[in-house]
Amino acid sequence: MSAPSHDHDEMDECVAALARVHAFLHSELVEADADVIRVHLHACERCMENYEIESTITEMIQRSQPEEKAPDTLLARVSTMRITRRF
Ligand SMILES: [Zn+2]
């Protein structure tokens, strides 16, 4: 753990960007924060790669759940699972 200090800032930016990638993908960030991520992704190949992986996974999950808002169905399913597990 003796990375040169000039790399440290870069790493911090990457850590901060990657920590927010999920929120960014789910449009949970305010526009100003989303812009920071966007700028970093375009400037940083590694983070862009990670973003693309996350983005692909998120898309796949969203596609497998065509009805985004189905909380009743989901809750019913979860309760069923809980009941089943009691046995
Ligand atoms: Zn980065």
Side-chain angles (χ1 to χ4, degrees), residues 70-87:
D72 289 347
T73 315
L74 192 65
L75 280 175
R77 216 179 280 167
V78 171
S79 335
T80 310
M81 278 164 69
R82 270 191 204 143
I83 291 161
T84 310
R85 269 188 201 164
R86 272 193 201 164
F87 288 104

Side-chain angles (χ1 to χ4, degrees), residues 9-63:
D9 286 347
E10 227 172 273
M11 280 302 290
D12 272 358
E13 267 188 54
C14 291
V15 169
L18 289 176
R20 287 172 148 185
V21 156
H22 283 102
F24 178 68
L25 281 168
H26 293 279
S27 308
E28 286 165 3
L29 294 178
V30 295
E31 207 39 47
D33 286 340
D35 271 348
V36 173
I37 307 292
R38 251 179 236 128
V39 169
H40 184 80
L41 290 177
H42 283 283
C44 181
E45 242 177 79
R46 271 187 220 165
C47 286
M48 182 57 103
E49 268 176 39
N50 276 299
Y51 167 74
E52 276 171 3
I53 292 165
E54 293 291 346
S55 155
T56 306
I57 292 167
T58 303
E59 255 181 57
M60 277 164 56
I61 291 168
Q62 280 168 357
R63 269 182 213 166

